[in-house]
């Protein structure tokens, strides 16, 4: 079977390559450790060569941090509100030494923040490709290093907000007086729930006012050193959910779709009932589905743009 498209989901820490079949299904996947912040000696060119080695010379579409200021080529953002089909009309082309052309998807910018995203817009396109959205649109939660709360209506991203929950957790766990040097333990669900409860009851002061309680609880013997990380995880995730309710990014009993890695999404779903939130998991490779949808909108699959 022929290959009409090669897709690249190229973030800051990893590169995932997809070879599609004629039906738009992923026929082969490759995962490489070459993100925009960690590249082989030959940089983006060598990483790309490894990703597509031996694959047919099909059109290539890439999304993510490959189009950032520190990426292979900086691609301008599109402002919200933005219909996701518009992504296909705003690609930036980069010529690779092997004669291929790599088309890079633009990110999105919300002027109201201001706020920006790269890569998530293609995952959102994948959500739209897999299911019809309810009247009035849908709200998405995309957990990660930088969580995104996104509103999509009538095929357009109308706005979004970033919360740096994952990065804050990493900093607190590895570089603060709260977590640095403490042992790792197995998942402590009670400590996680304790952190969620601390965020829920923090009131107007918010979860930051409860951070130092992690150290106090440990010194008192109420929290084992190996459980501090789970407490901090619950506190930060819980505070993100508390903020979402306060800011109107989510509403009680109105489902929010989760888009992200299963293990992290499971933690958010574990915390959600404490805030009356319903978080629904989304299955499948949404980045791949989004790349196919954007390629279709761009005409890459029908020869109007050539690789």
């Amino acid at each position: 079977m022929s290959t009409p498209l090669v897709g690249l989901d190229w973030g800051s820490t990893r590169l995932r390559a997809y070879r599609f079949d004629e039906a738009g299904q992923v026929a082969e996947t490759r995962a490489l450790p070459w993100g925009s912040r960690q590249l082989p000696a030959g940089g983006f060119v060598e990483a790309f060569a490894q990703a597509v080695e031996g694959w047919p010379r099909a059109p290539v579409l890439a999304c993510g941090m490959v189009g950032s200021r520190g990426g292979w080529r900086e691609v301008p953002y599109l402002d919200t509100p933005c219909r996701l089909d518009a992504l296909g009309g705003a690609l930036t082309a980069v010529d690779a030494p092997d004669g291929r052309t790599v088309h890079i998807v633009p990110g999105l910018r919300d002027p109201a923040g201001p706020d920006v995203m790269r890569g998530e817009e293609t995952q959102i396109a994948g959500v739209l490709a897999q299911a019809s959205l309810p009247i009035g649109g849908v709200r998405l939660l995309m957990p990660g290093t930088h969580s995104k709360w996104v509103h999509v209506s009538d095929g357009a991203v109308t706005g979004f907000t970033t919360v740096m929950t994952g990065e804050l957790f990493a900093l607190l766990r590895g570089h603060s007086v709260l977590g640095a040097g403490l042992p790792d333990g197995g998942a402590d669900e009670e400590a996680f729930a304790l952190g969620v409860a601390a965020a829920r009851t923090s009131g107007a002061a918010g979860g930051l006012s409860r951070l130092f309680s992690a150290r106090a609880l440990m010194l008192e013997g109420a929290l084992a050193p190996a459980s501090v990380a789970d407490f901090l995880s619950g506190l930060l995730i819980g505070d993100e959910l508390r903020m979402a309710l306060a800011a109107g990014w989510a509403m009680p009993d109105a489902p929010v779709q989760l888009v992200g890695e299963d293990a992290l999404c499971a933690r958010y779903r574990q915390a959600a009932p404490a805030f009356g939130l319903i978080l629904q998991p989304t299955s499948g490779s949404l980045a791949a589905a989004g790349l196919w949808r954007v390629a279709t909108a761009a005409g890459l699959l029908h020869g109007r743009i050539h690789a």
Side-chain angles (χ1 to χ4, degrees):
M1 184 176 291
S2 64
T3 298
L5 180 71
V6 170
L8 304 176
D9 179 11
W10 205 333
S12 58
T13 60
R14 69 178 185 180
L15 165 58
R16 194 173 296 275
Y18 306 101
R19 183 175 64 81
F20 291 88
D21 63 21
E22 290 287 353
Q25 301 301 309
V26 176
E28 186 177 354
T29 302
R30 291 175 178 170
L32 295 89
W34 306 132
S36 63
R37 295 189 306 201
Q38 178 179 325
L39 293 163
F44 286 97
V45 170
E46 182 179 335
F48 171 72
Q50 292 180 22
V52 302
E53 183 179 3
W55 282 2
R57 299 182 66 81
V60 181
L61 183 64
C63 68
M65 296 303 287
V66 65
S68 69
R69 184 160 298 177
W72 197 350
R73 178 73 56 82
E74 185 174 8
V75 180
Y77 293 104
L78 298 181
D79 280 354
T80 59
C82 178
R83 291 191 60 81
L84 290 162
D85 287 342
L87 296 172
L91 306 181
T92 293
V94 177
D95 293 329
D98 66 355
R100 302 184 198 233
T101 299
V102 180
H103 302 279
I104 303 179
V105 180
L108 296 183
R109 175 181 177 272
D110 186 345
D115 210 328
V116 294
M117 66 166 63
R118 285 199 190 274
E120 292 92 351
E121 76 294 321
T122 304
Q123 290 180 291
I124 297 168
V127 173
L128 268 63
Q130 292 192 349
S132 58
L133 299 183
I135 295 174
V138 67
R139 295 191 181 275
L140 306 177
L141 167 56
M142 310 178 80
T145 304
H146 301 150
S147 292
K148 306 285 185 184
W149 290 82
V150 187
H151 185 246
V152 181
S153 180
D154 192 27
V157 174
T158 59
F160 60 91
T161 302
T162 302
V163 184
M164 296 176 63
T165 302
E167 185 164 350
L168 285 173
F169 173 77
L171 290 170
L172 291 171
R173 176 66 183 89
H175 303 285
S176 80
V177 68
L178 302 179
L182 295 183
D184 291 321
D188 187 331
E189 303 300 341
E190 289 187 5
F192 181 82
L194 185 64
V196 171
R200 183 176 57 81
T201 59
S202 63
L208 289 179
S209 68
R210 300 295 181 89
L211 276 177
F212 203 70
S213 66
R215 182 163 179 81
L217 288 168
M218 184 188 68
L219 293 175
E220 292 173 359
L223 187 64
S227 299
V228 169
D230 288 296
F231 176 84
L232 289 173
S233 176
L235 178 60
L236 292 172
I237 289 174
D239 201 46
E240 182 179 338
L241 299 181
R242 182 195 64 80
M243 286 190 290
L245 283 171
W249 308 333
M251 304 291 289
D253 303 320
V256 175
Q257 286 192 254
L258 271 174
V259 177
E261 295 183 355
D262 290 344
L264 183 55
C265 286
R267 286 234 138 174
Y268 276 77
R269 292 184 70 197
Q270 183 181 345
F275 299 89
L277 291 174
I278 301 172
L279 303 183
Q280 297 179 332
T282 307
S283 61
S285 178
L286 297 176
L291 285 164
W292 182 264
R293 176 172 177 145
V294 173
T296 302
L300 284 174
L301 307 179
H302 303 97
R304 293 199 295 272
I305 299 176
H306 298 281

